């Protein structure tokens, strides 16, 4: 028997859904990746392109994903089953479930570093660093230790499982309601410290004074990928969260709110980090190591740095945790809805498997660092396959599905439920969504995908 709407859990409140979905969106992507991507791609001009990508692609696809889930009230596989006659589309849902599992397995490795760095910050080890190289050496010695890295992975995954096993309302919603406001307050605190540092204005102009010469085709594609990843698109996380929404709730407003929260947090995190990095006189384009290599030095050099360091890694950990639970929930919902497993069994069994799957990713930083597949270590390979291929492919197919297969007419009927006021007062918003989804989103995502597969340049050369 299919679970009915009556016995399937729903969010306890509208706010609960917004915070849980914002929790999924706000993660390592905002606080770890966004600042370093901005730093390595020239600052303000990149941010402008990124904001355009969020508006043109992120928003329409997010709306489509949440709407699909809310319409079918099912996990991603069940959603495609319910809304299409052809079996082929289930595969898109299935790919989302697989992506959720794989991403969880290595996302938890980096999240484990954030957790471990809370303890480093508490122990005050950053104050022993004399040069930036000391911070790098410390990071390498921690991640080079299989016991530390596996221990943190395990610790982080247990916390994720404990929340997800408690259910949609009592676990995910309750956790998000506590963690998201806390995250916001902590981040505001770090930002205030950043902007009040002497010399912080250089960081602000780096972030907010665009130098258009820095924009190239690659920047646009990086911005597009980042917009996509940060909104948790393309693998059914938002579909799954949308499936616990009531038909009385407004999908349009919720989508705007989630995008606003996610974008603001990325900008605030960027401000917090670059004001401090510039004030201390370090390099903004340090890349992936910005958070774990550069920031510890920055903290050790500023007044109040001890507290700010503890606060910063705590908020990074919280951001990662609320995203990890959404990844775990996609996998859990599939087994609960489709295979009729008990939530407890799904969470503990699949969570344990995700830990096992995370082991080679964790060991990529030590024992397996020389073990390369296509020139990448295991961690980088998993990262590449999911973020560069599975997510854009999933997003592309979701946009195509809603715009061309399920059809915008049916979509609009569903969208109207709970959003009658918008249809009455600002119907142009809906028309704009239809146009964007139908013509822009899929085409642009397709370009990102081609680029990830290394096919874009040859094609451009062929035609131009
Ligand atoms: N949006 C999350 C982040 O910014 C990452 C994520 C992607 C989470 C896909 C869930 C699904 O870190």
């Amino acid at each position: 028997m299919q679970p009915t709407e009556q016995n399937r859990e729903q969010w306890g409140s509208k706010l609960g859904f917004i915070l849980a979905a914002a929790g999924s969106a706000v993660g390592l992507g905002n606080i770890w990746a966004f600042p370093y991507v901005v730093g390595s791609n020239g600052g303000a001009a990149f941010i402008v392109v990124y904001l355009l990508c969020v508006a043109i692609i992120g928003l329409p696809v997010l709306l489509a994903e949440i709407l699909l889930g809310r319409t079918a009230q099912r996990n991603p596989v069940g959603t495609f089953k319910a809304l299409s006659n052809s079996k082929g589309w289930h595969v898109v849902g299935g790919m989302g479930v697989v992506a959720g599992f794989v991403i969880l397995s290595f996302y938890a490795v980096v999240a484990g570093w954030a957790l471990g760095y809370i303890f480093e910050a508490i122990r005050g080890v950053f104050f022993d660093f004399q040069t930036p190289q000391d911070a790098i050496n410390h990071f390498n010695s921690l991640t080079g230790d299989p016991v530390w890295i596996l221990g943190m992975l395990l610790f982080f995954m247990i916390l994720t499982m404990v929340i997800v096993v408690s259910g949609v309302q009592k676990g995910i919603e309750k956790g998000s309601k506590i963690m998201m406001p806390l995250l916001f307050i902590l981040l505001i605190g770090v930002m205030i410290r950043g902007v009040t540092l002497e010399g912080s204005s250089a960081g602000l102009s780096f972030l907010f004074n665009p130098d258009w010469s820095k924009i190239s085709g690659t920047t646009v594609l990086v911005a597009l990928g980042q917009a996509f990843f940060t909104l948790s698109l393309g693998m059914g996380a938002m579909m799954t969260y949308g499936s616990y929404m009531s038909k009385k709730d407004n999908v349009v407003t919720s989508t705007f709110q989630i995008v606003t929260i996610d974008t603001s947090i990325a900008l605030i995190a960027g401000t917090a980090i670059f004001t401090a990095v510039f004030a201390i006189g370090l390099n903004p384009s340090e890349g992936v190591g910005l958070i774990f290599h550069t920031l510890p030095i920055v903290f050790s050099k500023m007044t109040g740095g001890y507290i700010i360091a503890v606060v910063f890694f705590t908020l990074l950990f919280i951001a990662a945790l609320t995203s990890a639970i959404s990844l775990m929930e996609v996998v859990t919902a599939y087994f609960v809805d489709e295979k009729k497993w008990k939530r407890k069994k799904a969470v503990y069994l699949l969570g344990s498997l995700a830990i096992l799957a995370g082991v080679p990713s964790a060991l990529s930083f030590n024992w397996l660092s020389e073990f390369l597949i296509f020139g990448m270590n295991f961690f980088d390979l998993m990262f590449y396959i999911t973020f560069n291929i599975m997510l854009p492919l999933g997003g592309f197919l979701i946009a195509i599905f809603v715009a061309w297969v399920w059809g915008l007419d049916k979509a609009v009927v569903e969208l109207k439920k709970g959003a009658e006021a918008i249809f009455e007062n600002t119907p142009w918003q809906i028309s704009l969504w239809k146009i964007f989804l139908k013509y822009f989103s899929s085409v642009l995502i397709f370009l990102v995908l081609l680029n990830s597969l290394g096919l874009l340049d040859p094609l451009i050369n062929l035609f131009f």
Side-chain angles (χ1 to χ4, degrees):
M1 194 188 82
Q2 287 287 319
T4 59
E5 272 181 42
Q6 282 76 34
N7 65 25
R8 201 167 183 274
E9 255 199 288
Q10 286 205 332
W11 303 108
S13 65
K14 236 188 331 206
L15 181 70
F17 165 69
I18 302 287
L19 291 180
S24 170
V26 175
L28 295 172
N30 302 59
I31 297 162
W32 174 56
F34 180 73
Y36 87 66
V37 171
V38 170
S40 327
N41 288 282
F46 175 85
I47 296 186
V48 175
V49 178
Y50 166 79
L51 293 177
L52 284 174
C53 292
V54 167
I56 297 175
I57 299 198
L59 220 147
V61 177
L62 179 61
L63 184 61
E65 265 208 57
I66 299 179
L67 182 66
L68 282 176
R70 194 196 54 172
T71 303
Q73 305 273 310
R74 294 275 183 287
N75 67 90
V77 175
T79 296
F80 282 103
K81 266 190 198 164
L83 303 180
S84 87
N85 303 323
S86 110
K87 279 224 156 41
W89 287 100
H90 311 178
V91 177
V92 180
M95 190 174 77
V97 176
V98 173
F101 179 82
V102 176
I103 297 172
L104 180 63
S105 74
F106 68 81
Y107 197 84
V109 174
V110 180
W113 302 345
L115 181 56
Y117 262 65
I118 302 177
F119 301 118
E120 299 304 297
I122 292 174
R123 284 171 50 215
V125 289
F126 305 154
F127 291 88
D128 300 334
F129 301 159
Q130 306 296 330
T131 64
Q133 191 56 42
D134 291 341
I136 298 178
N137 293 345
H138 186 70
F139 176 76
N140 289 344
S141 79
L142 288 175
T143 52
D145 175 4
V147 177
W148 185 83
I149 203 166
L150 289 175
M152 289 303 156
L153 164 67
L154 188 66
F155 192 0
F156 180 83
M157 278 301 300
I158 290 174
L159 294 172
T160 306
M161 291 193 279
V162 165
I163 296 176
V164 179
V165 85
S166 310
V168 175
Q169 273 195 25
K170 293 209 180 81
I172 301 174
E173 182 168 353
K174 201 166 151 205
S176 305
K177 275 184 163 165
I178 300 169
M179 289 190 281
M180 290 309 287
L182 182 63
L183 165 71
F184 192 69
I185 294 168
L186 296 180
L187 187 59
I188 294 287
V190 180
M191 186 194 75
I192 292 177
R193 176 68 279 222
V195 286
T196 50
L197 286 169
E198 208 176 310
S200 63
S201 54
L204 290 178
S205 74
F206 177 73
L207 275 177
F208 299 112
N209 261 341
D211 169 0
W212 298 110
S213 67
K214 299 248 165 82
I215 295 299
S216 68
T218 333
T219 355
V220 178
L221 292 169
V222 174
L224 219 48
Q226 173 66 20
F228 216 71
F229 163 45
T230 188
L231 289 172
S232 306
L233 296 178
M235 43 73 66
M238 290 301 186
M239 210 182 283
T240 307
Y241 274 14
S243 76
Y244 302 123
M245 239 181 143
S246 135
K247 303 248 169 169
K248 290 196 229 54
D249 288 338
N250 188 330
V251 178
V252 184
T253 336
S254 311
T255 305
F256 273 102
Q257 286 164 338
I258 296 163
V259 171
T260 309
I261 297 176
D262 184 72
T263 308
S264 322
I265 299 244
L267 291 175
I268 298 174
T271 307
I273 290 170
F274 286 116
T275 46
V277 168
F278 274 87
I280 306 296
L282 291 173
N283 178 7
S285 46
E286 166 64 22
V288 187
L290 185 66
I291 294 280
F292 296 100
H293 296 169
T294 310
L295 283 188
I297 289 280
V298 171
F299 295 140
S300 75
K301 293 216 167 123
M302 66 194 198
T303 330
Y306 178 85
I307 291 291
I308 295 293
V310 176
V311 166
F312 179 81
F313 286 107
T314 307
L315 77 86
L316 182 65
F317 155 72
I318 293 177
L321 185 58
T322 52
S323 297
I325 58 182
S326 74
L327 291 163
M328 179 88 239
E329 181 60 25
V330 174
V331 186
T332 306
Y334 168 73
F335 282 89
V336 170
D337 288 351
E338 304 296 312
K339 306 284 170 208
K340 309 288 169 276
W341 286 16
K342 291 259 178 295
R343 174 169 282 271
K344 224 184 190 156
K345 171 176 163 192
V347 172
Y348 289 130
L349 190 68
L350 298 159
S352 308
L353 289 175
I355 296 172
L356 285 181
V359 170
S361 286
L363 297 183
S364 299
F365 296 88
N366 37 72
W367 288 343
L368 296 181
S369 60
E370 308 285 306
F371 176 67
L372 303 181
I373 313 158
F374 303 120
M376 288 179 259
N377 67 31
F378 191 81
F379 178 95
D380 291 339
L381 184 69
M382 292 300 113
F383 196 97
Y384 188 84
I385 293 179
T386 49
F387 287 116
N388 293 308
I389 300 173
M390 291 175 99
L391 295 192
L393 183 61
F396 171 70
L397 293 170
I398 287 166
I400 296 280
F401 181 78
V402 173
W404 304 92
V405 180
W406 185 38
L408 287 171
D409 294 342
K410 282 189 203 149
V412 163
V413 171
E414 281 296 326
L415 193 61
K416 200 166 182 175
K417 296 177 185 161
E420 290 82 2
I422 293 184
F423 276 76
E424 204 148 292
N425 304 329
T426 47
W428 57 267
Q429 290 191 16
I430 309 295
S431 317
L432 216 55
W433 173 68
K434 294 204 279 191
I435 295 172
F436 276 37
L437 194 71
K438 205 159 180 177
Y439 301 108
F440 292 107
S441 310
S442 40
V443 175
L444 291 173
I445 304 169
F446 189 62
L447 291 181
V448 178
L449 193 62
L450 283 183
N451 184 57
S452 300
L453 295 170
L455 298 174
L456 192 59
D457 284 339
L459 273 179
I460 291 175
N461 294 337
L462 198 66
F463 289 107
F464 297 101

